[in-house]
Every structure is written in C-alpha cells, then in structure tokens.
Amino acid sequence: RCCFRFCGCVMKCRITVAPHMHAMCLELLIDKLIPGNRALDVGSGTGYLTACMGVLVRGKGGKAVGVEHIPELAAMGRQNVQKSNPDLVQDGTVVLLEGDGRAGAEEHAPFDAIHVGAAAPELPEALVRQLRVGGRMVIPVGPEGEFQELLVVEKDAAGTVHVRSETGVAYVPLTDRAAQWKE
C-alpha cells in the first residue's frame, strides 16, 4: 500500500528513484561527509539521501539540508525522516526545506558536499557559490531528454573550480514545480 502511494507520486511528479545512483553519489562525496561538515541535497524527494548524509555529518554541528520544490514530496521527506530517525530532526542535524533547489540554501551555506538529484542544463552558479573552499559537488549536467554527464565539481583552496566527468547518466531535468508537476 505504501509503495503504491509512493509510485503514484513518482509517476505524477515525474521523478525517478535510483538507489544505485544514491550509492554512487555518496561514494563520490564520502570524504566530505564527516562529522561537523555541511551537506546539501537538491531534489531531496523522499528524504532518504538527506538522512544518509545526516547520519554521516552528525556531530560537531554537522548539518544535512534537503531542498525539494514539490510540496507533497517535501512533506513526505519530512515524515519519512521523522519516522525513521527522529533524532536527526530533533537535534537539527537534518533540515528539509520546500523551495527551488536551483537556488541552493544560502542561509545554511557554505556546504562541504552538494548532491543534485536532477540534470541541470549547465552548472548552476548559485550552487557553485555555496560550495565551500575544499568542497565537492556531484551534479548531472546536460540537455533534457538526452544523456547527461555526472560531473564532480571541486573548489580548491584558491577558490578555483575544477570539473571532471565521472560517467554518463540519464536524469530527469532540474526544473521548477510548474514545469515538473503534471496534473
């Protein structure tokens, strides 16, 4: 029953759920997901990856922030994390926001690790700005409806941004609620 309700939202909201990509992205970010660091999850959906990030950064003031622009998914994410690991929410380690993830979460920046769960047509400047010096972002970039590249973006000590392609991927587009929500 739970899966049916969730799948209905997946189809209606035009999102994908790909646990293997969550695992790959966590592996690419793992050395930035340490206690005391800050992580951002753009397109946090069900809250699963944000919670994983929260478990890893917990302690020493660490924080994982999820941003989701679909209200129903943002609410589902909050409920899921509250139900599965309420301490993460109660101690402020995990914060799940409703909003346009393309703008990041300036009030919680800078971030040591940023994960973006949908493909941007180009690297979003707002997210690059919110990446801490020494930080890393994993983001699919490329045209909608075609293959994209999973990019690993790093900001060195001088603030210079370095980008490399990890692999080819196919993600839904990073967009706004109006463009994504299909009634």
Side-chain angles (χ1 to χ4, degrees), residues 27-95:
E27 284 182 7
L28 291 168
L29 295 169
I30 196 68
D31 62 316
K32 306 299 180 185
L33 297 170
I34 59 174
N37 278 5
R38 290 185 174 253
L40 174 64
D41 183 19
V42 174
S44 56
T46 65
Y48 175 79
L49 190 63
T50 311
C52 290
M53 294 169 118
V55 167
L56 294 167
V57 301
R58 189 175 198 180
K60 302 179 184 176
K63 184 174 291 237
V65 178
V67 182
E68 174 57 55
H69 68 259
I70 298 174
E72 294 81 357
L73 283 176
M76 179 191 293
R78 284 189 292 275
Q79 290 169 355
N80 288 342
V81 177
Q82 182 64 40
K83 185 175 181 180
S84 66
N85 200 335
D87 291 347
L88 288 174
V89 176
Q90 290 165 0
D91 70 11
T93 299
V94 169
V95 176

Side-chain angles (χ1 to χ4, degrees), residues 119 141-149 169-172:
V141 175
E144 180 178 348
E146 297 179 28
F147 286 109
Q148 302 107 14
E149 293 291 320
V169 292
Y171 275 73
V172 297

Side-chain angles (χ1 to χ4, degrees), residues 21-33 40-42 49 53 112-120 123-124 127 131 135-141 149-154 162-167 169 171 174:
M21 292 308 300
H22 284 157
M24 174 185 264
C25 291
L26 279 175
E27 284 182 7
L28 291 168
L29 295 169
I30 196 68
D31 62 316
K32 306 299 180 185
L33 297 170
L40 174 64
D41 183 19
V42 174
L49 190 63
M53 294 169 118
D112 302 281
I114 299 176
H115 166 265
V116 182
L123 210 50
L127 297 180
L131 188 61
R136 183 177 304 137
M137 173 169 40
V138 178
I139 179 172
V141 175
E149 293 291 320
L150 185 63
L151 300 182
V152 177
V153 179
E154 296 184 290
H162 302 273
V163 180
R164 70 175 171 83
S165 176
E166 179 67 21
T167 189
V169 292
Y171 275 73
L174 183 63

